[in-house]
Structures are given as structure tokens and as C-alpha cells.
Amino acid sequence: MRDAEIGHSSSANAAWDEEYDFVVLGSGAAGLTAALVAAIEGMRTLLIEKSDYIGGTTARSSGSVWTPNNSYQRAAGVTGDDQAALEYLDSLVRGRVDRVLRETFIAAGPEMLDYLEKNADVRFQMYRHAPDYRQELPGAAQGGRPLEPLPFDGRSLGKQFDRVGWPLPELMLFGGMMVTRGEAARLLKITRFSLDSFLLGARLVLRYLFDRMRYKRGTRLVLGNALAGRLFKCLLDRDVPVWFNSKTTRLIAEDGRACGLIVRRGSSEVRVHARRGIVLAGGGFPASSELRERYFPKPVASYTAAFEGCTGDTLRLAQEIGGTLGPPEEDVALWFPSSIAKRKDGSTAVYPHIVLDRAKPGLVAVNSAGRRFVDEAVSYHEFTRAMYRAHATVPTIPAMLVCDSRFLWKYGLGMIRPCTPFLKTYIERGYLAVANSVEELARKIGVDAAGLVETVKANNQFAQTGLDTEFGRGNNSYDRGNGDAQHHPNPCLGPIDKPPYYAVAVVPTPLGTSLGLRTNAKSQVLDASGQPVPGLYACGNDQHSIVAGEYPGTGVQLGLGMTFAYLAVMHACRSEQAANTVAVGG
Ligand SMILES: Cc1cc2nc3c(=O)[nH]c(=O)nc-3n(C[C@H](O)[C@H](O)[C@H](O)COP(=O)(O)OP(=O)(O)OC[C@H]3O[C@@H](n4cnc5c(N)ncnc54)[C@H](O)[C@@H]3O)c2cc1C
């Protein structure tokens, strides 16, 4: 019966080529979750991805999913985390966004995870030692709220494995092998001759070598690649069609209700009917230079580690049928400080300084005056915000990360891994500056020499006492967790006194945008008068940040994206049920 309807419009003025219950735009975690939940709920679902790959920025991400009060925490005996998390978010957001959105997220997040684990082969484990990013606020946790995806065997996707987007090359080993954060930490102990790290390394490398006989990269997927791969597999198992390389040129609304799309596939234009709903999950606009220019603070970020496809087309599509953007908050983006380099093939590498170097002992970040401007160990979002704040008075963009030879060998710096014996190419390409004295380094990197000398001197005193009297580095569990636990008295403070000295420049880069489509707690896109545009939903980074552009902890983007994707579909299903009940009853 349903098939017979294809090709016939349910409305007077549209002739549909294809008919679905639910159409999802974008194949990141948010879009994949929406499509999967819709399929589980029995809806005829179509996923449209504008690029050739599944996963968007999600496939490049660390894959943490921040979901307070999750069932793993409860099983471990944690109680009352919903209230604690709400208190934390309240103190972070400070009333800037409707509280109902936060309450809904905290209530629905665990429900979404349980639902996926019960109804599909989506698997996580608790990320125990992952302190929230703003430890100074009430309700901040030491871990447990973020979950991490279990490793996923890409071979189970068969030929479709090639469809899964690649992680950032600089975050893989040997150009194609993935490791988790825990594995990376264990492998780094190889420099201390640990048997455990040797055996782990041998196991991972063997598997990788076998993989490379048949595949372009390792098939043991972890982090965000595992999440995207696994969700994709769940869709394939349910025969959900995915249209790649398909561009939606227009959304169709009838009587104010979003009910269809015009999609360009190859040379043809297809009119697609979406009977129950359209979900926008295009990942915001971090990759649009035009929108960055329009909305971002100055100096405008020129690079991003986010996926190239996230250019805000979905926001435009929604605005054309009445959707509105949220109000710009203090920030319109979520930030990484990144170093930039040209790859051998001429493309640009954007290396996000997430947790591996800034918090380690023996590094300072300085501005053009050679002065520190922040506790270097804060979260990447806060670090970059501090760059912008400091830049208002002293040029701080780019900022320079400065260390000595001991640090570089032990911890690495940006793209340079620990124990890298040959630095010539990094220096020749202009990525790494090197000098035999702090003064000479300052001149090479264009910062005030006297300022840098004083900064390094002060740092070396802090390293001895273990107290950073300027910025309090290493004073909280988040800082210390990313420091070096073996280093005393403060795991984040070490001397910079072993020449040669090195520096790498970092600039602000959006990992995603937080300015997006205004929605209610059901993920319905709102119009200028605050009323829902029926049939139209937004989630992931297409949804205006419900935490006002703040970054509570690792995994919050994916946690919010997946939760509001789930809520969108559930709302569409329940509205339909209610409509049917009324129709039958009436
Ligand atoms: C290195 C790195 C690490 C990160 N780690 C984490 C982490 O651990 N946890 C966390 O929460 N966040 C993390 N993030 C941020 C997170 O990855 C993103 O915020 C998140 O992936 C956004 O998810 P999304 O589903 O909204 O969009 P995306 O995952 O970006 O997917 C959007 C997709 O939509 C497609 N698209 C765009 N427009 C259209 C259109 N018109 N039609 C069809 N398709 C369209 C895009 O091509 C893309 O494939 C990280 C980011 C980076 C770069």
C-alpha cells in the first residue's frame, strides 16, 4: 500500500518522487542516532549525507558522550548525579538559556543511551577518570558522566567500511592506526621500558599490519570513528537507505508544516516527501569561511579540525521556511587551540592541542609580550577563550607554546610525538622554532625577549615550589589529570632550563559551532515568534547550544546531539500516535 503511494503527492501542489516517514540530513552522531531511532520505531527512514562519507566531525572526534546520571554510574553506586549535574549546568549557564532544556537533557540522556543499548548494537563503557572542565563550579564531577564507545571492528561493514570518514591523520599512528586515550597513555610508558606497553604496542601493530594487507587503514576503530562506524552498521542492518553526495536545495513546507525536500542526486532532482518529520543534523558551520566571517570574533579563525561538510547549509534551509537562529552568546563556537602545518601532499594539517601537551610540566603559553595569559592546563575551550580575552589588550593570537628539549623528548609538542629523534623537517617547514637560549627563541618567534626570560624564570620557581602563584596551574583535578602523575611536587609544573628551547604557534580553531537553530525541548525548530515549525527538528551542532556556548566536560557535544536526536524522533512518533488516536476517536 505504502509503495503504491510513492510518486503520488499527498498534497495538491507537489508530485513526490520518493516517500518516507522521516528524513535526516547529516550523518554525524546526531543524524545517525535520529535515523537509527526512527528505524527502530518502525518509521520508513532516509538518511541524506552531502559528502561521500559517513560520520562528519564525529568520525574525527574522541567519541566521548557526556551523559550525567547514566546507568553505568548508577550501577557503580553513584546516586543523585542528575541533581548534581543540573546544579553544575545551572551555575555554568547562569540563566542565559531556558532551564527546561537542561532539565530535559539530563532526564533524557540516560534514557537515550539505555534505549540504544537495548534496541541496537551500540556499546559504551564508562570513562571513569574524566573530570568535568569547570572544577571550580558546584556539581562538577570527577568522572563517570562521559562514556566512551567500545572499539568497533570496521571489517563487519564489508565494502561499506570505505564509507566511514577518516580520523585526523595527525591523530593516528603510522598514518592509519587508531588508539584510545587509555592506550595512548599506556604506550607512552614505552619510554620507561614497561612490559605492558610493549605487549600492547606489539598487539596493536600486528593487527594493523594484517589490516594493511587488505585495507587502506586499520580496521580496529576506536573513539568517534567507532561510534560513527557502529551506528552506521546498525542502520545498514535495518536496511535504512543512505544517499551520499546528495545536496538538499530546498525544504518544502505546506500550510506551515515542513513536509518535503528537493534533493539533487547526480544530475537529477528528486522531490522527497517526509511524512512525519525532517531532522537537520548538518553539524553547524565550523567549515564555512563565509559564516565564520559573519559571526566569529576577530581575528576570525581561518582553520578548523571539523569536517569539511559542516558549512551551515542546513541552517539556511531551515531559515528559508521560518526557522530562526539562537541569540549569539559569549561564544558562537567551541574552541581548540591548534597548530597549523602543511602536509607533504600540500594540504593543511590542523592539529588540536587537546590534552597531550599543554598541561604537562615544563611548558608555558605566552603572548607577544612574552607573558603568560592563562593556566595552560585549562580545557581547550577555556584556553582559546583566554586567547581572545588577552588579545583585546596584547596580541595573543597566535600564542606560542614554549618548552625545552627535555619536555619535547618526553611529552612531544603538537604534531611532534615523544622521543622524536629528527626534528629537521618540522623546523624547515616552519612548524617548530628552535634556539639555544630563551632570548634567541623570543626573537625568532617575535615575542618580547625580556618578557619571555622573566616568564621562564618565574615558571622555574613555580616548578620548585609546586605553586603557580600567577594562574594556579595544577590546582584542580582537571589540570592534574592531564599532567604527569609521576612528576612532583606539581604534575603540571616543571622547569624550562635544558636547551635547546622550542616553540610552536597555536591559533583559535572551531571544533564545532554553538550558534544554531533555536529549538524547544522536543528539538522542534522555532520561528521568530517562538512557535515550532511543525515537522522540522534540529539536533547536534545545528541546534543552538542549550548550554549557552559553554563546555561543561568531555563529550558534551555528542551527548547533547544524540539526546536531542532521540527526543526529536520520539516527539514525531508520539505526535503521530496522538493524531491517529484523535482521528480514530473522532
Ligand atoms: C578532534 C576532535 C575531537 C572531538 N572530540 C569530541 C568528543 O570526544 N566528544 C564530543 O562530544 N565532541 C567532540 N568533538 C566535537 C564533535 O565531534 C562535534 O561537535 C560533533 O561531531 C557534531 O556532531 P553532529 O552530529 O552535529 O555533526 P557532524 O558529526 O559534524 O556531522 C554532520 C554531517 O552532516 C553533513 N551535512 C552538512 N550539511 C548537510 C546537508 N545539507 N545535507 C546532508 N548532510 C549534510 C556533513 O557533511 C557531516 O557529515 C571533537 C571534535 C574534534 C574535531
Side-chain angles (χ1 to χ4, degrees):
M1 181 66 186
R2 178 185 274 155
D3 284 347
E5 287 164 12
I6 293 179
H8 298 277
S9 168
S10 61
S11 67
N13 56 8
W16 304 112
D17 300 307
E18 302 257 353
E19 178 132 11
Y20 293 90
D21 294 323
F22 224 72
V23 179
V24 179
L25 266 59
S27 70
L32 288 167
T33 301
L36 178 57
V37 174
I40 293 169
E41 290 298 308
M43 293 207 225
R44 194 151 183 264
T45 306
L46 170 66
L47 177 62
I48 299 179
E49 166 55 50
K50 79 179 216 195
S51 75
D52 283 324
Y53 298 100
I54 279 285
T57 310
T58 302
R60 297 179 171 187
S61 76
S62 310
S64 315
V65 181
W66 197 77
T67 325
N69 196 33
N70 59 65
S71 48
Y72 292 88
Q73 284 174 292
R74 281 181 268 120
V78 177
T79 53
D81 194 49
D82 47 352
Q83 284 314 311
L86 193 56
E87 184 185 18
Y88 178 56
L89 290 185
D90 282 348
S91 51
L92 197 56
V93 174
R94 287 174 281 116
R96 286 170 288 169
V97 178
D98 188 352
R99 191 170 197 253
V100 171
L101 291 161
R102 303 194 282 284
E103 289 168 346
T104 306
F105 166 61
I106 287 179
E111 187 183 309
M112 174 276 295
L113 285 171
D114 293 347
Y115 176 95
L116 288 181
E117 292 198 324
K118 181 170 164 229
N119 294 291
D121 187 29
V122 180
R123 297 287 174 264
F124 293 97
Q125 63 187 359
M126 187 157 67
Y127 192 9
R128 280 176 194 280
H129 304 292
D132 287 335
Y133 289 174
R134 299 291 297 275
Q135 285 294 314
E136 76 279 15
L137 297 178
Q142 298 305 316
R145 287 176 181 164
L147 301 177
E148 50 185 354
L150 287 186
F152 175 68
D153 191 342
R155 292 173 299 193
S156 66
L157 287 167
K159 287 207 172 74
Q160 298 295 327
F161 173 57
D162 285 342
R163 285 290 188 186
V164 181
W166 282 48
L168 293 173
E170 289 71 28
L171 297 183
M172 293 188 287
L173 296 177
F174 313 119
M177 183 177 110
M178 298 193 73
V179 292
T180 64
R181 281 167 289 214
E183 287 161 357
R186 281 165 68 194
L187 288 174
L188 285 174
K189 290 191 191 138
I190 270 181
T191 54
R192 294 173 190 151
F193 304 105
S194 141
L195 179 65
D196 168 66
S197 49
F198 175 77
L199 291 175
L200 172 70
R203 193 157 42 86
L204 293 176
V205 170
L206 265 182
R207 160 82 187 259
Y208 178 62
L209 290 177
F210 273 118
D211 280 346
R212 288 306 307 273
M213 290 178 198
R214 287 188 54 203
Y215 302 94
K216 290 186 195 134
R217 64 174 172 123
T219 60
R220 179 179 174 272
L221 309 187
V222 297
L223 309 173
N225 222 251
L227 180 62
R230 204 177 263 283
L231 288 167
F232 183 35
K233 174 79 166 58
C234 294
L235 289 186
L236 294 176
D237 289 346
R238 287 169 177 77
D239 295 323
V240 173
V242 183
W243 290 1
F244 288 98
N245 204 0
S246 301
K247 183 176 163 60
T248 300
T249 53
R250 193 154 71 80
L251 298 183
I252 300 170
E254 285 173 359
D255 302 327
R257 183 183 174 83
C259 63
L261 317 83
I262 300 186
V263 185
R264 178 153 288 284
R265 295 190 78 194
S267 56
S268 52
E269 201 162 71
V270 188
R271 293 174 73 90
V272 182
H273 190 195
R275 286 194 327 111
R276 296 197 198 180
I278 299 170
V279 174
L280 304 176
F285 61 91
S288 163
S289 54
E290 186 196 328
L291 295 180
R292 289 199 305 247
E293 202 59 50
R294 189 179 311 163
Y295 293 112
F296 275 23
K298 307 273 183 290
V300 174
S302 309
Y303 304 98
T304 181
F307 186 64
E308 301 74 43
C310 303
T311 51
D313 319 359
T314 35
L315 307 186
R316 176 186 54 79
L317 290 169
Q319 286 173 287
E320 285 170 358
I321 59 163
T324 49
L325 295 181
E329 309 288 349
E330 180 186 341
D331 280 294
V332 291
L334 306 148
W335 299 107
F336 280 145
S338 298
S339 48
I340 311 296
K342 277 268 169 270
R343 297 191 182 110
K344 278 191 197 130
D345 65 2
S347 61
T348 302
V350 179
Y351 182 91
H353 292 246
I354 306 177
V355 291
L356 291 179
D357 51 21
R358 288 180 294 109
K360 297 286 187 294
L363 171 147
V364 285
V366 296
N367 57 22
S368 59
R371 304 288 176 183
R372 293 173 69 208
F373 54 93
V374 69
D375 160 6
E376 292 83 351
V378 291
S379 78
Y380 33 90
H381 187 55
E382 297 303 327
F383 184 96
T384 313
R385 280 174 151 185
M387 285 172 80
Y388 274 113
R389 276 198 298 270
H391 193 75
T393 49
V394 179
T396 307
I397 297 173
M400 307 303 293
L401 304 183
V402 173
C403 67
D404 66 8
S405 57
R406 177 177 39 216
F407 182 98
L408 190 66
W409 179 258
K410 196 166 181 188
Y411 305 116
L413 182 62
M415 293 181 209
I416 304 162
R417 300 240 159 79
C419 312
T420 300
F422 305 112
L423 300 169
K424 202 164 154 246
T425 45
Y426 296 103
I427 296 167
E428 282 175 359
R429 282 196 220 149
Y431 181 73
L432 184 69
V434 57
N436 283 321
S437 71
V438 174
E439 292 91 330
E440 191 193 341
L441 184 73
R443 276 190 291 276
K444 280 195 171 174
I445 59 178
V447 312
D448 184 78
L452 186 59
V453 169
E454 271 184 41
T455 297
V456 169
K457 201 170 145 201
N459 169 78
N460 294 352
Q461 279 163 2
F462 299 158
Q464 272 185 4
T465 58
L467 282 180
D468 168 9
T469 53
E470 256 186 307
F471 292 102
R473 176 167 165 172
N475 279 1
N476 64 70
S477 58
Y478 176 74
D479 283 17
R480 286 194 297 276
N482 292 322
D484 178 351
Q486 311 292 319
H487 183 89
H488 302 288
N490 183 327
C492 302
L493 289 172
I496 303 175
D497 58 5
K498 199 165 184 299
Y501 299 96
Y502 295 99
V504 158
V506 289
V507 292
T509 58
L511 63 96
T513 41
S514 52
L515 173 67
L517 293 164
R518 222 153 49 105
T519 69
N520 61 17
K522 294 153 187 137
S523 313
Q524 290 178 288
V525 173
L526 301 179
D527 67 15
S529 62
Q531 293 304 308
V533 177
L536 190 62
Y537 300 87
C539 53
N541 286 353
D542 276 359
Q543 179 188 37
H544 190 66
S545 169
I546 72 139
V547 289
E550 300 288 341
Y551 213 120
T554 183
V556 81
Q557 302 303 304
L558 297 176
L560 289 171
M562 294 173 71
T563 302
F564 281 95
Y566 168 77
L567 287 167
V569 180
M570 286 308 176
H571 178 261
C573 292
R574 283 170 195 155
S575 320
E576 178 83 359
Q577 277 159 12
N580 286 344
T581 313
V582 172
V584 171

